[in-house]
Amino acid sequence: MIIEGNNVNRSYDEEVDVVIIGSGCGGATVAKQLAAQGHSVLILEQGGYFTAQRGDLDQRSDNMLARIDGGRGLHTSVNSEIALMYGNCVGGASVHYWADSWRMPKDRCDAIAATGVTGHSYEELLPYFEQIEKDLNVHFAAPEYYNTMNLLFNKGAESLGWHTEPTPQARRGCVKSGHCYQGCSYDAKQSQLVTHIPAAIDAGARLMSDCHVETITRNSKGVATGVEAVFVDRASSRPNGHRLKVKAQIVVLAAGGYSSSVVWLRSKLPNGSGMVGKNFLCNPNTFLYGLYNQEIKLWENIPAATGTSAFRLATYKDGKYVEGGYLLHPNQLQPEFLAVTLPGFGEDHRKLVSQLPHIGSVVSWIDDELPGEISLDKNGDPEYHYQLRGVDELKARDSLKKQAQLLFATGAKEVIVPDTAGTRLQSLKEIDLFDTLPINDGNYLFGAPHPAGTLRMGNDPATSVVASNHEAHEVTNLFVTDPSVFPMQPSVDPSISIMAWSYVAAKEINTRLQEGLFK
């Protein structure tokens, strides 16, 4: 049922009901749902197939970046402002995410509905949320899973008068290894690799890994008819000489927020709205380090058992930004990632690295509103254009202030900024430096884990790419089921939202297949 393209010795021609490009939260969910209805489903994944049983998920950062991270963890925006964080493996980004599992808040569902999107209200998504939470064992972590940084976070937030709440976790039998971001070596994190993918396979779906889709094919009427792809050598990421052609009644594009618009553009699909690749959002991360007298050991236990949503929604007064527009949580980095992201060179850096066990950290996800763009260069390679600016920059600066407040409140003797200058704060008296600190164009290290928006959903084909039923406005029988369709960010980790929206898409596709409603 699983063919690893890295090892194939011939080309393939396939004919199925549904071909799905991508195996992350969107693609895997649709595959599970449609295979359970008896449809023939073929999942294509550009990345490799790695499992805990075979020892592939070995907790070595150098190995895991190469195996499961897009661009082997090295891709950035054109201006080097954001580091692109995405999956490139069976299971997609869910293999390296933290297992944080929130429902899309009702206020954000309402805001999306106000743009004209139908069928995705909180009430309509509720049964899907509940089913997903049951399947993935989403729960609040017990006290023994709170590491030192989690405990300090709660204590500091309480002293500042900020409410905290436990973070919903998708785990089963967690052993507290602290290597969540590198893929769970114990199959405890309930990623798509160990949940929806096996469920789809058990229901009869097939999967081909190491398979790079070159184009979505169409007939003379412009209707999607399948895909053409090449199998790739895993070590070099180059074609291995064998090809794949798939004929399908339905094509599902679920390559992820960084890649689906790229597949669209390379396939030269219609773009009458001009919106393909536009509206690029990515939840840029801000984070700070704190140096403590006590041991912290950021790399132990689970990353974020707790956090605060006190600042999730931005507040304004007389039309001017005041504060908020981000989540705030404890951070987790393994020693090697921590060492790489600490500022400085030479002896200064060595001194910091010698104190790794005493370094703590907090992180924010900015609910960005001002988008960038994904385009292709002259060679057909993707370019990611993104500049933090306007209200989003104000949110980032405010989040840094709040992080510094919390770190000092938890006993940090010094706050370290991961910027090129190696800025450090000795007390809260210096907090206003965040108002003018250079943070653009590579001066500060932003992670960007949640891409969205580049194939945005809407009912007007003039301003959107995908209809509310997830079908492309201009390409019949092509459906999109990943965060590319989000008109705005969910304001929380998007994994559960992607899956719930994919249930909506799967229901529509199933009806289309059962009733033979092909145009």
Side-chain angles (χ1 to χ4, degrees), residues 148-149 151-162 288-292 294 296 328 362 400-415 425-429 431:
T148 301
M149 196 66 234
L151 295 172
L152 286 175
F153 184 98
N154 280 352
K155 181 180 178 180
E158 181 181 0
S159 72
L160 292 167
W162 303 344
L288 294 175
Y289 295 122
L291 184 60
Y292 294 80
Q294 71 178 101
I296 304 296
L328 180 58
V362 288
L400 290 168
K401 287 185 175 182
K402 297 296 194 299
Q403 290 171 25
Q405 286 180 260
L406 193 142
L407 289 169
F408 281 123
T410 58
K413 59 183 181 181
E414 185 176 46
V415 168
L425 285 72
Q426 307 302 320
S427 74
L428 278 176
K429 294 179 181 178
I431 198 170

Side-chain angles (χ1 to χ4, degrees), residues 130-400:
E130 293 174 341
Q131 184 62 54
I132 293 163
E133 290 167 351
K134 179 181 178 181
D135 292 344
L136 273 61
N137 195 42
V138 176
H139 63 284
F140 296 136
E144 61 265 28
Y145 288 97
Y146 282 58
N147 63 18
T148 301
M149 196 66 234
N150 279 267
L151 295 172
L152 286 175
F153 184 98
N154 280 352
K155 181 180 178 180
E158 181 181 0
S159 72
L160 292 167
W162 303 344
H163 73 77
T164 61
E165 60 276 322
T167 302
Q169 306 284 317
R171 305 178 191 276
R172 197 185 304 271
C174 178
V175 301
K176 311 176 187 177
S177 76
H179 288 267
C180 304
Y181 184 74
Q182 297 163 311
C184 183
S185 303
Y186 309 95
D187 285 346
K189 183 171 63 178
Q190 298 297 283
S191 71
Q192 301 301 287
L193 178 65
V194 299
T195 55
H196 289 174
I197 291 291
I201 298 297
D202 289 345
R206 293 179 297 144
L207 186 149
M208 292 181 172
S209 69
D210 309 284
C211 185
H212 173 73
V213 172
E214 291 186 322
T215 188
I216 295 171
T217 58
R218 294 177 293 150
N219 64 17
S220 59
K221 296 181 180 180
V223 176
T225 58
V227 304
E228 294 185 2
V230 294
F231 293 108
V232 298
D233 171 66
R234 194 173 293 171
S236 66
S237 297
R238 298 182 181 278
N240 64 11
H242 303 293
R243 299 189 61 83
L244 169 70
K245 291 184 179 180
V246 183
K247 182 179 180 181
Q249 297 182 68
I250 297 288
V251 178
V252 175
L253 179 54
Y258 281 123
S259 300
S260 281
S261 60
V262 174
V263 174
W264 188 295
L265 291 168
R266 284 175 173 166
S267 299
K268 294 181 171 56
L269 300 180
N271 184 18
S273 68
M275 294 302 298
V276 174
K278 304 291 180 61
N279 198 44
F280 169 43
L281 304 168
C282 60
N283 275 166
N285 292 158
T286 58
F287 60 101
L288 294 175
Y289 295 122
L291 184 60
Y292 294 80
N293 287 322
Q294 71 178 101
E295 281 197 343
I296 304 296
K297 292 186 177 179
L298 274 179
W299 50 89
E300 291 186 341
N301 220 315
I302 69 175
T306 186
T308 179
S309 60
F311 308 105
R312 181 176 66 84
L313 299 177
T315 58
Y316 297 83
K317 184 177 181 180
D318 299 328
K320 293 184 178 181
Y321 173 81
V322 176
E323 66 175 357
Y326 49 83
L327 294 177
L328 180 58
H329 283 267
N331 199 4
Q332 182 176 77
L333 289 168
Q334 285 67 46
E336 49 271 60
F337 281 132
L338 181 52
V340 166
T341 55
L342 285 170
F345 299 93
E347 183 63 19
D348 288 342
H349 187 259
R350 189 196 67 77
K351 287 180 180 179
L352 273 181
V353 170
S354 71
Q355 301 176 85
L356 287 188
H358 293 267
I359 293 177
S361 182
V362 288
V363 61
S364 295
W365 290 264
I366 306 303
D367 189 13
D368 51 335
E369 302 175 52
L370 303 177
E373 179 181 359
I374 300 176
S375 60
L376 301 181
D377 66 14
K378 62 182 181 181
N379 298 315
D381 295 322
E383 290 186 332
Y384 301 91
H385 303 270
Y386 190 89
Q387 178 76 61
L388 196 71
R389 63 196 189 279
V391 69
D392 293 339
E393 183 176 338
L394 295 177
K395 292 176 183 178
R397 293 184 182 280
D398 184 62
S399 72
L400 290 168

Side-chain angles (χ1 to χ4, degrees), residues 481-512:
T481 64
D482 65 26
S484 302
V485 301
F486 289 159
M488 60 187 71
Q489 290 285 13
S491 85
V492 294
D493 180 277
S495 58
I496 293 287
S497 302
I498 297 167
M499 288 181 252
W501 280 45
S502 296
Y503 267 79
V504 176
K507 183 178 180 180
E508 172 69 21
I509 296 168
N510 179 55
T511 299
R512 184 77 58 90

